[in-house]
Amino acid sequence: MIHEYKRKINHRLLTPIQRFMRQERSSGIVLGLAVALALLLANSPLRESYFHFFEQHFGFHFNGETYLNFSLAHWINDGLMSLFFFVVGLELKREFISGELRDLRKVVMPIGAAIFGMVVPSVIFLAFNAGTPTAAGWGIPMATDIAFALAIVYMLGDRVPLSVKVFLTTLAIVDDIGSVLVIAFFYTSHISVLNLGIGLAFLLLLFAAGRLGVRNVWFYAIVTIAGVWTSFLMSGIHATIAAVLAAFMVPASSSMSEMSFIEKIRTLLSNFQNAERNAFPTLEREQVEIVSEVKRAATAAVPPLQRFEHSLHPFVSFVIMPVFAIANAGVSFVDMDPSVITSNGVAAGVMLGLLLGKPAGIMLSVWLLSRLGLGKLSTQMTWRRVAGIGFLASIGFTMSMFVTTLAFSDPACHVQAKVGIFAASLLGMTIGYALLKGCKDEGGASEALEGGFGGNPGKPSRRRVFHTLV
């Protein structure tokens, strides 16, 4: 009776929660709620406590000295977000090995769309800020928050063809790569050669371990955090870059081949069936040992890269990203002087860069590559759908706010950039949703673009919650 009661509880409570967490749009919903909570706290009577909470400093004391003494906001942005970028790095490596980017010749169109979709917004931002101290924010409108974008796409269900989802997914992957490179090369402070050398030595250790057949995930986790991440943080290069580089050192091959695993499981299953049984809920010792061996074999059959990705993805999507949003999305409009928003070109540059630059860049690249015969799209990718994807790509919540923290030290510039991000993201989300919702599957009607998209015909391989973020 008790077991039946537990089963019902698991079915009614846990199963819906697990199903919710597996859905693509769930991460976007949770992230949206976190942004709303941040805005609510920032404009409530608790706003002073809200901002002060993230200004508290934490560090490590040793022999009378304090090390890594940073604010809570800094720990979130450089610490927790490093775990997010570690997952991004894992996903990127998997995409290059067995995903959308394994054959770059087949994804020329979305790659070109991503590149143009990063360059045009930056040009628009610089048009408003060139020659001023705020020009450092040119990287803010480059990024796409794929969690929100995919959430909108999957809410539309069958109204959006698979080829469109694959196009957006591949575009977001390349967008991730671009964002990581921009942070690495343009938003890095002074460099400590000694600490950088130590970090690179730890990276070399991870690489050597992978070549020597080390597949223990704890080894890679400890060396990444204690060695690579800490060294890069102290070197002046942004710690999130260390996370991406470390992720690329994680082996993508398992210690047990698929055929060996199949034979092993067959043998163990046969042994379990022939093992001595009892009439009680507990297993015999021999059965327990066989089940333990099954678990060890299953672990050995999964590459460390996918073990990390599978275990960290829910935590990053449903904990780290919402925490980042709560810590960074708060903008207080109470007693705000509107002239502050228009005092420079930050807000206008960010908003127009995202809202106009993203769709313009994506559509321009599609037109240009189609004319030059360098890329192909499926007949379902109509101009309306291309425009819809472009406006969804203008949703820049998470990653744009992250780049804002790197580009500006002036709190006023933070507020201006966030206002531009919010305005562009909400408008882009609304316009993109309306454009895609109004599309009909015309199957190659006159509105459709010529050619066929050479992507993977299977399900989009990216399971982001943030996904990208990027």
Side-chain angles (χ1 to χ4, degrees):
M1 186 68 180
I2 295 178
H3 292 291
E4 180 65 15
Y5 183 69
K6 289 182 177 179
R7 188 191 66 78
K8 290 182 178 179
I9 290 179
N10 287 336
H11 178 73
R12 294 178 180 178
L13 180 61
L14 296 182
T15 301
I17 293 176
Q18 292 169 347
R19 188 184 302 118
F20 175 81
M21 292 182 68
R22 284 195 296 264
Q23 292 177 343
E24 288 280 1
R25 56 190 173 190
S26 303
S27 59
I29 294 172
V30 173
L31 195 56
L33 292 174
V35 171
L37 177 61
L39 290 172
L40 178 64
L41 291 172
N43 292 276
S44 72
L46 299 173
R47 57 184 176 276
E48 291 187 6
S49 299
Y50 163 75
F51 289 113
H52 176 70
F53 177 77
F54 293 105
E55 294 172 353
Q56 300 179 82
H57 277 65
F58 300 91
F60 299 94
H61 295 274
F62 182 74
N63 287 340
E65 296 289 335
T66 302
Y67 301 92
L68 303 178
N69 185 27
F70 303 124
S71 66
L72 179 57
H74 193 115
W75 277 110
I76 292 172
N77 295 342
D78 282 26
L80 287 182
M81 285 299 286
S82 292
L83 192 55
F84 162 77
F85 275 93
F86 182 73
V87 174
V88 169
L90 295 173
E91 291 180 338
L92 290 177
K93 182 174 181 177
R94 175 171 53 78
E95 294 294 340
F96 278 114
I97 293 174
S98 59
E100 302 296 338
L101 298 181
R102 69 188 184 280
D103 188 349
L104 296 181
R105 295 171 300 177
K106 294 184 178 181
V107 289
V108 171
M109 191 70 79
I111 289 176
I115 295 174
F116 274 68
M118 291 185 287
V119 172
V120 176
S122 298
V123 171
I124 292 177
F125 181 89
L126 289 175
F128 286 88
N129 297 273
T132 69
T134 59
W138 61 269
I140 297 173
M142 290 179 63
T144 293
D145 194 320
I146 194 59
F148 278 112
L150 284 183
I152 298 299
V153 167
Y154 280 87
M155 284 179 182
L156 290 167
D158 294 337
R159 290 177 180 269
V160 180
L162 180 60
S163 60
V164 179
K165 295 175 182 177
V166 172
F167 185 93
L168 178 59
T169 300
T170 309
L171 185 153
I173 296 169
V174 181
D175 197 288
D176 280 350
I177 298 173
S179 297
V180 169
L181 293 176
V182 166
I183 293 172
F185 292 109
F186 300 101
Y187 291 105
T188 294
S189 57
H190 65 280
I191 298 177
S192 168
V193 178
L194 175 62
N195 286 307
L196 178 59
I198 295 173
L200 292 176
F202 278 112
L203 281 174
L204 184 60
L205 174 62
L206 291 178
F207 176 78
R211 300 293 291 181
L212 292 173
V214 177
R215 295 296 183 268
N216 188 300
V217 294
W218 286 107
F219 169 81
Y220 291 96
I222 292 172
V223 174
T224 295
I225 297 173
V228 181
W229 180 83
T230 303
S231 299
F232 270 69
L233 181 66
M234 298 178 68
S235 74
I237 295 179
H238 204 272
T240 55
I241 304 304
V244 175
L245 294 176
F248 271 83
M249 298 299 109
V250 177
S253 59
S254 62
S255 57
M256 180 181 291
S257 67
E258 292 183 23
M259 292 307 300
S260 298
F261 175 71
I262 292 173
E263 293 299 323
K264 182 78 171 179
I265 293 300
R266 282 176 177 169
T267 301
L268 292 173
L269 180 59
S270 176
N271 294 341
F272 189 85
Q273 289 175 329
N274 297 326
E276 182 181 352
R277 304 178 186 181
N278 59 47
F280 305 101
T282 57
L283 298 175
E284 292 294 329
R285 181 181 297 275
E286 182 183 3
Q287 290 176 306
V288 173
E289 292 176 353
I290 293 173
V291 172
S292 298
E293 187 64 25
V294 170
K295 292 172 63 177
R296 285 192 291 271
T299 299
V302 181
L305 182 146
Q306 290 180 296
R307 272 188 273 163
F308 268 126
E309 188 179 357
H310 179 73
S311 60
L312 292 177
H313 200 280
F315 180 70
V316 168
S317 301
F318 296 97
V319 177
I320 290 181
M321 298 308 297
V323 168
F324 172 81
I326 291 173
N328 291 275
V331 177
S332 179
F333 297 99
V334 179
D335 299 326
M336 177 183 288
D337 185 358
S339 63
V340 174
I341 305 300
T342 58
S343 61
N344 54 40
V346 172
V350 170
M351 184 185 73
L352 296 178
L354 282 170
L355 187 61
L356 299 182
K358 276 288 185 180
I362 290 172
M363 295 185 73
L364 176 61
S365 70
V366 170
W367 177 83
L368 184 60
L369 292 174
S370 297
R371 291 295 182 185
L372 296 176
L374 299 177
K376 296 181 179 180
L377 288 173
S378 75
T379 54
Q380 294 175 318
M381 282 290 290
T382 63
W383 281 114
R384 180 168 181 148
R385 283 181 173 137
V386 173
I389 288 176
F391 278 103
L392 289 185
S394 69
I395 303 174
F397 276 117
T398 310
M399 187 53 66
S400 292
M401 286 190 293
F402 182 75
V403 177
T404 297
T405 64
L406 304 179
F408 300 130
S409 58
D410 185 359
C413 290
H414 285 189
V415 172
Q416 293 159 356
K418 290 177 183 179
V419 169
I421 293 169
F422 290 152
S425 298
L426 291 174
L427 288 171
M429 186 185 305
T430 303
I431 297 172
Y433 178 86
L435 286 172
L436 293 177
K437 184 178 180 181
C439 286
K440 296 181 180 179
D441 191 0
E442 300 172 358
S446 59
E447 185 191 6
L449 300 178
E450 296 179 355
F453 175 55
N456 187 352
K459 181 180 179 181
S461 60
R462 183 136 164 161
R463 295 180 299 104
R464 286 181 70 106
V465 114
F466 129 24
H467 291 6
T468 145
L469 54 82
V470 178

